[in-house]
Amino acid sequence: MEKKMRIMTEKPLNAETPTEYLRSWITDNDLFFKRNQGQFMEKPVKLSDWTLSIEGVVNKKISLTFEDIRRRPKVEMANTLECSGNSRSLLKQKASGNPWTIGGVGNAIWGGIWLKELLEEAVLQENARHVSFEGLDQPLGSAGIKFIRSIPLEKAMSSTLLAYEMNGQPLPLKHGYPLRAIALGWTGANCVKWLHKITVLEQPFEGFFMDKVYRIFQKGEDPKSGQVVKDINVKSIIVEPAMDEKISAGLVAIRGAAYAGEAGIQRVEVSVDNGKTWQGAKLIGPQEPHAWRHWEYLWQAKQKGDYKIMARATDTNGRQQPETASWNVLGYGNNGIQEHAITVHVG
Ligand SMILES: Nc1nc2c(c(=O)[nH]1)N[C@H]1C(S)=C(S)[C@@H](COP(=O)(O)O)O[C@H]1N2
Ligand SMILES: [Mo]
């Protein structure tokens, strides 16, 4: 199964979804991108050995078994998950990190419970501000730093899921079995896998994965002075035709997906003449909050030649993709129109 993925590193496993598999609204669990900072267990943890604890600035520490969680009413939410570094390799100026093209993104239906319910049960103290997540995966490398991340309390209380199902299946081992956080509409780094410990904090968690990475900063700046990457930028990707595809003159279906994190997609426009003119694409397929929207533009390709095709999305808050991405040292959030243009040959 991993064969179909584009594997960037084996240890830790970092693999992206080939463009052709981004054409369906639901991304198959097997083909969903995999992004890891550490090493996950070879075998799934035994559910009888697993508990989820909630501690920190709460009045009532709690510990739950998997059954305790399963017994609660199940919530199912669509959510497009994207790695902060997705599209990094398409930046005109190189940035360090995994060389994602556009496949560090996927859409799934996540089944689980609202984090809010558990936090309320644990009774938050007045000084509660952030919620940190810790997984069971082991750090790789000499530094031995665990992947621990925290999100603001408002996000934890409003739209964060603890998911044990992915597309109707038990959460696959590689995607965090048995439980992961899904901060709806936020980048992957906020969605800790193999979750077993939640700590309510008075301020953001301090550590490597909060302060040195997942921050927007420029050369010479202290990473910690930069903004933490949270919400997903408005963006559209072209999934059909393929990059450099040879197509015959006539009617050509240009298709793609657009997403904007917590916002919805208002419109997508397509240009086949280097940005001189833009035509509205048709929004197609399911429309769900936090999930990408697929789109289609039928193009009458009359003249032979090479064409650059570009797509431009606008979200429901009026944010529009920039002409070119705003660069940062770690290459996060590349949503540039130019960076995502494709070339096709009409023959
Ligand atoms: N425990 C743990 N959770 C993690 C990570 C990790 O390395 N360890 N990687 C994060 C990052 S950077 C991303 S993009 C997503 C990827 O989720 P996926 O592998 O299910 O696609 O998981 C996040 N959760
Ligand atoms: Mo990520």
Side-chain angles (χ1 to χ4, degrees):
M1 98 186 138
E2 222 74 81
K3 269 187 295 217
K4 290 185 194 157
M5 306 278 295
R6 184 179 152 252
I7 296 178
M8 293 176 289
T9 59
E10 299 264 7
K11 209 178 166 135
L13 177 62
N14 285 306
E16 78 170 336
T17 309
T19 304
E20 61 193 289
Y21 300 114
L22 299 173
R23 291 177 185 171
S24 58
W25 191 72
I26 292 285
T27 315
D28 270 12
N29 292 355
D30 284 351
L31 295 164
F32 205 97
F33 82 91
K34 286 140 183 65
R35 200 280 179 258
N36 298 293
Q37 292 281 6
Q39 187 56 48
F40 51 87
M41 33 305 202
E42 256 158 52
K43 283 199 203 110
V45 60
K46 269 179 43 202
L47 288 181
S48 52
D49 293 341
W50 180 91
T51 54
L52 174 69
S53 66
I54 304 195
E55 45 199 81
V57 288
V58 294
N59 286 335
K60 205 179 120 206
K61 288 183 183 150
I62 51 181
S63 171
L64 298 136
T65 65
F66 191 71
E67 254 325 289
D68 293 336
I69 292 172
R70 271 311 297 250
R71 259 200 303 269
R72 290 158 188 267
K74 182 168 77 186
V75 185
E76 285 183 292
M77 297 289 291
N79 184 65
T80 295
L81 192 72
E82 183 181 45
C83 181
S84 319
N86 192 29
S87 299
R88 175 186 288 128
S89 76
L90 307 177
L91 288 165
K92 304 282 183 276
Q93 184 187 347
K94 205 176 147 32
S96 47
N98 285 307
W100 301 99
T101 64
I102 60 169
V105 65
N107 187 54
I109 307 287
W110 308 90
I113 60 171
W114 291 114
L115 171 58
K116 176 177 191 267
E117 281 184 23
L118 301 188
L119 294 178
E120 279 173 351
E121 230 170 271
V123 189
L124 297 170
Q125 291 181 7
E126 233 164 66
N127 48 357
R129 294 289 178 276
H130 256 248
V131 178
S132 81
F133 303 111
E134 188 173 331
L136 286 168
D137 50 332
Q138 292 304 314
L140 280 175
S142 50
I145 302 162
K146 286 211 68 160
F147 187 83
I148 303 176
R149 297 265 312 161
S150 74
I151 60 171
L153 186 65
E154 309 83 75
K155 182 66 183 171
M157 293 296 281
S158 63
S159 48
T160 300
L161 212 60
L162 299 180
Y164 53 79
E165 277 181 11
M166 183 177 181
N167 293 326
Q169 302 291 316
L171 198 61
L173 175 62
K174 293 180 175 107
H175 295 287
Y177 181 90
L179 192 75
R180 78 177 300 173
I182 295 286
L184 296 168
W186 284 21
T187 65
N190 298 289
C191 304
V192 173
K193 303 189 274 188
W194 310 287
L195 184 62
H196 76 115
K197 187 168 149 190
I198 295 175
T199 311
V200 181
L201 303 168
E202 292 175 57
Q203 66 269 312
F205 179 77
E206 285 181 39
F208 183 83
F209 293 106
M210 287 300 287
D211 302 332
K212 299 280 190 239
V213 287
Y214 308 115
R215 297 256 184 182
I216 305 286
F217 61 95
Q218 300 300 317
K219 282 185 184 145
E221 285 179 1
D222 176 9
K224 209 181 166 176
S225 67
Q227 287 288 316
V228 176
V229 178
K230 294 173 180 155
D231 196 5
I232 294 174
N233 285 340
V234 59
K235 172 168 177 178
S236 58
I237 52 174
I238 298 168
V239 299
E240 203 178 339
M243 181 62 122
D244 294 324
E245 195 171 318
K246 290 186 175 61
I247 47 187
S248 28
L251 194 64
V252 178
I254 302 172
R255 297 196 179 97
Y259 47 96
E262 291 182 335
I265 292 298
Q266 189 184 109
R267 67 172 185 276
V268 175
E269 296 151 293
V270 173
S271 174
V272 293
D273 57 7
N274 220 349
K276 280 206 259 327
T277 60
W278 292 87
Q279 267 74 39
K282 189 174 163 195
L283 301 181
I284 55 172
Q287 178 181 15
E288 292 283 338
H290 312 114
W292 60 20
R293 192 77 202 271
H294 276 228
W295 54 265
E296 175 183 78
Y297 174 68
L298 298 176
W299 171 39
Q300 278 293 349
K302 294 190 190 109
Q303 305 278 325
K304 291 183 182 175
D306 288 353
Y307 290 86
K308 182 155 118 182
I309 303 177
M310 293 186 282
R312 174 170 85 185
T314 305
D315 76 11
T316 47
N317 295 331
R319 290 190 304 179
Q320 192 172 74
Q321 281 182 256
E323 188 66 20
T324 54
S326 60
W327 191 89
N328 56 91
V329 172
L330 297 176
Y332 293 136
N334 175 9
N335 64 340
I337 296 168
Q338 291 293 347
E339 287 84 347
H340 289 84
I342 66 159
T343 306
V344 295
H345 316 283
V346 175

